[in-house]
Amino acid sequence: MAANGADVLRARDEATCRIREILDRVGDKWSLTVISELGQESRRFTELKNAVPGISQRVLTATLRGLERDGLVRRTVHPVVPPRVDYELTPLGRTLLDTAWTLMTWALEHMDEIDEARTSYDHAN
Amino acid sequence: MAANGADVLRARDEATCRIREILDRVGDKWSLTVISELGQESRRFTELKNAVPGISQRVLTATLRGLERDGLVRRTVHPVVPPRVDYELTPLGRTLLDTAWTLMTWALEHMDEIDEARTSYDHAN
DNA sequence: CGGAATCCTTCTCGATACTG
DNA sequence: CAGTATCGAGAAGGATTCCG
């Protein structure tokens, strides 16, 4: 890992927009969840739909298309009947997996603190 | 009796849901950028607005309120004229800083690969 | 200066129906 | 099975105005 926080900040002026553009993909409502789901093994469309409760078919399709476009996910269509489509992480997608895990782990570890803060904040107003 | 499959799935779904709830905060359009901006030192409202190009006043306010509610940011109002409001990371917010940098670093390092993937994808269709 | 309130436009998303 | 097409409700977001 070459860049550190200071590098990120130094490059900020040129790249803030670019970073944000990419965080939009990665940080959107479902992408990290889908990526972490694909981290284990390749999945079929319906398997993903069931594995990610609450996501609609429409949005799952859009999410997967976006991830595929960004080279994070590979979509493989098997010419069989009934159709079978497998999704798996690309090597690039797999490099994101570690970071995704870090973020999700953070969320898990600090969930309670955040809950307390929210309760406290809401109670104060 | 050990937990059955349904229990496991239910627990996992709830965890997924909670994680997503928190990722919504952290992974939204601006939060990580604001947090990384506050990583260096406390900032005034207008300083933040200038430091985060493209954010509107309305959305910056909402973002800061959300971060404050979750205990990630502390808001300090100085009773002076003209008003002065400082924002700084809480200790909890600071624990997120490392992860935020990791994610932004990932974005920086893989920006070019993503650009290529997008170009390739768009050209294929 | 740091907002809150309002208006108004855009985008998102879920539900539904249909298809190769 | 794995989508696409379409529609409508609601949320999100920008611009503007006003205020202590």
Side-chain angles (χ1 to χ4, degrees):
Chain A
M1 194 152 327
N4 57 27
D7 288 332
V8 172
L9 287 177
R10 195 170 303 119
R12 199 193 40 145
D13 285 341
E14 309 99 63
T16 297
C17 288
R18 295 307 323 281
I19 290 181
R20 268 251 317 100
E21 185 184 331
I22 293 179
L23 288 187
D24 268 354
R25 155 79 34 247
V26 154
D28 80 347
K29 201 174 169 69
W30 301 106
S31 289
L32 279 185
T33 306
V34 168
I35 284 171
S36 88
E37 198 60 40
L38 290 175
Q40 312 307 305
E41 52 192 343
S42 75
R43 302 259 176 158
R44 301 180 60 172
F45 184 85
T46 300
E47 286 176 344
L48 272 177
K49 187 157 151 37
N50 294 332
V52 183
I55 197 170
S56 69
Q57 186 184 58
R58 185 181 172 14
V59 173
L60 177 56
T61 300
T63 300
L64 287 169
R65 287 290 182 279
L67 293 173
E68 187 193 1
R69 177 172 183 255
D70 284 353
L72 300 171
V73 161
R74 174 163 35 248
R75 176 171 179 267
T76 307
V77 181
H78 301 280
V80 296
V81 177
R84 179 190 178 92
V85 180
D86 285 329
Y87 292 92
E88 61 182 327
L89 291 183
T90 63
L92 178 58
R94 205 160 278 114
T95 67
L96 181 54
L97 194 57
D98 293 334
T99 306
W101 258 64
T102 304
L103 193 54
M104 296 174 82
T105 300
W106 182 92
L108 265 182
E109 287 178 347
H110 298 284
M111 199 178 280
D112 293 344
E113 288 177 75
I114 290 177
D115 278 341
E116 284 176 31
R118 284 181 183 177
T119 302
S120 167
Y121 183 92
D122 292 346
H123 187 268
N125 311 323
Chain B
M1 188 170 67
N4 62 31
D7 286 338
V8 173
L9 284 178
R10 200 169 111 81
R12 205 194 54 110
D13 285 356
E14 285 173 359
T16 300
C17 193
R18 293 306 323 278
I19 289 179
R20 267 249 319 98
E21 184 184 330
I22 294 181
L23 288 187
D24 268 356
R25 155 79 36 247
V26 155
D28 79 346
K29 202 175 169 70
W30 301 106
S31 288
L32 280 185
T33 306
V34 168
I35 284 171
S36 89
E37 197 60 41
L38 290 175
Q40 308 308 299
E41 51 192 344
S42 74
R43 302 258 176 158
R44 303 181 58 173
F45 183 86
T46 301
E47 286 176 343
L48 271 177
K49 187 156 152 35
N50 295 332
V52 183
I55 198 172
S56 70
Q57 184 186 63
R58 191 189 195 297
V59 173
L60 178 57
T61 299
T63 300
L64 287 169
R65 286 293 182 280
L67 292 173
E68 187 194 2
R69 177 172 183 256
D70 284 354
L72 301 170
V73 161
R74 172 163 37 247
R75 177 171 179 268
T76 308
V77 181
H78 302 277
V80 297
V81 177
R84 178 190 179 92
V85 180
D86 285 329
Y87 292 91
E88 63 182 327
L89 291 183
T90 63
L92 178 58
R94 204 160 278 112
T95 67
L96 181 54
L97 195 56
D98 292 334
T99 305
W101 271 344
T102 303
L103 193 54
M104 296 175 81
T105 300
W106 182 91
L108 263 183
E109 289 179 345
H110 298 285
M111 197 178 283
D112 293 343
E113 288 176 74
I114 290 177
D115 278 340
E116 285 177 29
R118 283 182 184 176
T119 302
S120 167
Y121 184 92
D122 292 346
H123 187 269
N125 310 323

